[in-house]
């Protein structure tokens, strides 16, 4: 089944305890589409970049089967820029700078060839843009998943709440779930957030795994304890891309299949953090993915008498 992803395509500058980068390629939709490319062949992108965005990176996405017909290039504009600094624990970070640039007033156009896409991934971007994309789909997709972050809760909470009413599945981290709901207990937070629209919610807890909520049902997926986490940037997006890519490829949105999807998402995220930026995501093999997923299975399966 086909997937449509909207979200930031960006320049990032990162600081971790291991080192610092100049501007490297990042962005939510970049990580999502790359991760999803290992699962779905129909991988459509809607995003905007400035004239400063390198053609080689667009070609790299295309080599991974990403359809870039919906990638708008504003020649005179500048690409979205984000910089962040990780704390010693590598699990938390501060945003140092966000320059929305061409993303601020992006008017998303859905190419005719994307209409009919069954799986829609609204990656991190302006909530009003996420809503416009839903409204511009001729037919409602089978599954609409949304990812967002604290910035939008701080500056566009009303727009975010409007788009939340329209989505099926929301992924956010624990801190954001607390901010969105005003509840400290993640269980109470989940109940409140599911009343805002999404019937299914995933709360990401970084190196402590992720929780899947649907009504009264809960499932927990661990994160793989890695010897070294080099750069966690994009882990959340890679997780989302692996997850929705798997759902689209199996075309099954049952709770049981979501459990499998969350493990695939976690496996993809575990690769992402092993190197800076998208480096690790661009040349994975199906064998590596398969054996990583098996590590997750081994990590948490046990028998009880
Ligand atoms: P993650 O580490 O999965 O939360 O995502 C990191 C990516 O999100 C980076 O590559 C950034 O370019 C992108 N990003 C950071 N802030 C925003 C924002 N406000 N809107 C859209 N994308 C963002």
């Amino acid at each position: 089944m086909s997937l449509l992803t909207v979200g930031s395509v960006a320049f990032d500058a990162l600081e971790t305890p291991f080192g610092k980068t100049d501007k490297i390629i990042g962005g939510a939709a970049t990580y999502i589409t790359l991760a999803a490319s290992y699962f779905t062949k129909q991988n459509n992108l809607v995003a905007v970049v400035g004239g400063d965005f390198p053609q080689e990176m667009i070609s790299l996405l295309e080599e991974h089967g990403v359809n870039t017909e919906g990638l708008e290039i504003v020649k005179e504009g500048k690409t979205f820029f984000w910089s962040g600094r990780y704390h010693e624990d590598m699990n938390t970070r501060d945003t140092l700078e966000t320059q929305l640039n061409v993303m601020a007033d992006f008017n998303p156009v859905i190419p005719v060839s994307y209409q009919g896409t069954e799986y829609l991934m609204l990656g991190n971007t302006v909530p009003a843009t996420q809503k416009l994309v839903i409204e511009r789909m001729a037919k409602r997709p089978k599954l609409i998943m949304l990812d967002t972050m604290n910035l939008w809760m701080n500056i566009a909470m009303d727009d975010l709440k409007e788009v939340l009413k329209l989505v099926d599945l929301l992924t956010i981290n624990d801190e954001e779930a607390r901010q969105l709901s005003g509840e400290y207990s993640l269980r109470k937070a989940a109940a409140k957030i599911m009343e805002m629209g999404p019937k299914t919610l995933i709360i990401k807890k970084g190196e402590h795994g992720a929780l899947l909520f649907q009504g009264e049902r809960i499932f927990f997926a661990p994160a793989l304890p890695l010897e070294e986490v080099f750069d966690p940037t994009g882990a959340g997006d890679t997780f989302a891309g692996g997850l929705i890519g798997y759902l689209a490829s199996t075309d099954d949105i049952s709770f049981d299949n979501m459990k499998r999807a969350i493990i695939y998402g976690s496996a993809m995220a575990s690769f992402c953090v092993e190197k800076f930026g998208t480096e690790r995501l661009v040349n994975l093999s199906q064998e590596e993915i398969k054996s990583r997923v098996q590590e997750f299975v081994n990590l948490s399966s046990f028998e009880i008498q």
Side-chain angles (χ1 to χ4, degrees):
M1 290 288 141
S2 52
L3 170 66
L4 166 55
T5 300
V6 60
S8 55
V9 172
F11 285 128
D12 291 343
L14 316 169
E15 284 180 40
T16 76
F18 302 107
K20 226 172 149 173
T21 63
D22 287 329
K23 278 188 178 179
I24 61 168
I25 304 298
T30 310
Y31 287 102
I32 294 166
T33 51
L34 282 174
S37 72
Y38 292 92
F39 301 93
T40 173
K41 297 278 163 279
Q42 289 161 285
N43 200 353
N44 301 323
L45 171 67
V46 164
V48 64
V49 289
D52 53 353
F53 196 75
Q55 179 57 46
E56 303 91 84
M57 193 59 203
I58 300 176
S59 306
L60 187 102
L61 289 172
E62 287 166 351
E63 281 159 27
H64 280 79
V66 179
N67 185 348
T68 60
E69 193 186 339
L71 177 67
E72 189 190 339
I73 303 171
V74 181
K75 278 214 171 77
E76 330 67 55
K78 279 175 72 182
T79 300
F80 172 84
F81 172 74
W82 175 79
S83 73
R85 182 189 295 135
Y86 288 88
H87 301 169
E88 237 10 84
D89 67 2
M90 291 293 267
N91 210 28
T92 47
R93 71 181 176 207
D94 296 321
T95 289
L96 301 176
E97 200 180 343
T98 302
Q99 291 175 16
L100 295 181
N101 298 331
V102 290
M103 212 174 80
D105 35 34
F106 176 44
N107 183 19
V109 175
I110 317 292
V112 179
S113 64
Y114 290 10
Q115 293 293 354
T117 299
E118 291 91 351
Y119 288 77
L120 175 58
M121 176 67 221
L122 301 168
N124 195 3
T125 189
V126 183
T129 306
Q130 294 174 316
K131 184 160 176 266
L132 273 176
V133 170
I134 300 178
E135 288 166 356
R136 291 178 180 176
M137 296 297 289
K139 183 169 157 261
R140 191 192 191 278
K142 182 168 177 177
L143 183 87
I144 304 179
M145 174 168 162
L146 183 139
D147 187 31
T148 188
M149 72 180 294
N150 54 358
L151 174 77
W152 308 117
M153 294 177 197
N154 296 336
I155 68 170
M157 186 62 119
D158 290 347
D159 287 349
L160 178 61
K161 286 192 172 164
E162 280 307 305
V163 68
L164 282 182
K165 290 180 190 160
L166 308 175
V167 311
D168 303 303
L169 171 55
L170 171 68
T171 55
I172 45 174
N173 71 29
D174 43 359
E175 206 181 305
E176 292 153 357
R178 291 185 170 117
Q179 181 174 354
L180 184 59
S181 65
E183 292 286 352
Y184 187 81
S185 148
L186 291 181
R187 199 155 179 167
K188 284 189 184 166
K192 270 201 175 169
I193 293 168
M194 285 187 285
E195 278 172 18
M196 295 178 184
K199 297 255 179 325
T200 310
L201 170 70
I202 292 171
I203 300 183
K204 299 170 285 182
K205 290 156 60 69
E207 65 170 332
H208 305 298
L211 288 160
L212 167 68
F213 296 88
Q214 191 180 71
E216 290 299 309
R217 294 187 281 196
I218 308 182
F219 175 71
F220 172 68
L224 197 65
L226 296 166
E227 274 183 29
E228 233 167 29
V229 172
F230 205 66
D231 170 22
T233 308
D237 305 312
T238 304
F239 168 85
L243 185 146
I244 198 157
Y246 180 79
L247 289 177
S249 71
T250 50
D251 193 25
D252 174 357
I253 55 172
S254 66
F255 189 71
D256 277 341
N257 203 47
M258 285 197 187
K259 290 184 191 174
R260 285 186 280 272
I262 202 173
I263 297 293
Y264 274 91
S266 305
M268 296 306 288
S270 75
F271 286 119
C272 175
V273 303
E274 287 178 346
K275 292 211 170 141
F276 260 121
T278 54
E279 216 180 314
R280 186 72 177 98
L281 281 187
V282 293
N283 51 15
L284 283 170
S285 68
Q286 292 296 341
E287 287 67 40
E288 282 178 296
I289 296 172
K290 208 171 147 199
S291 94
R292 190 56 68 90
V293 166
Q294 190 56 46
E295 283 188 62
F296 274 82
V297 174
N298 299 345
L299 182 68
S300 51
S301 54
F302 60 90
E303 283 173 24
I304 205 155
Q305 298 302 314

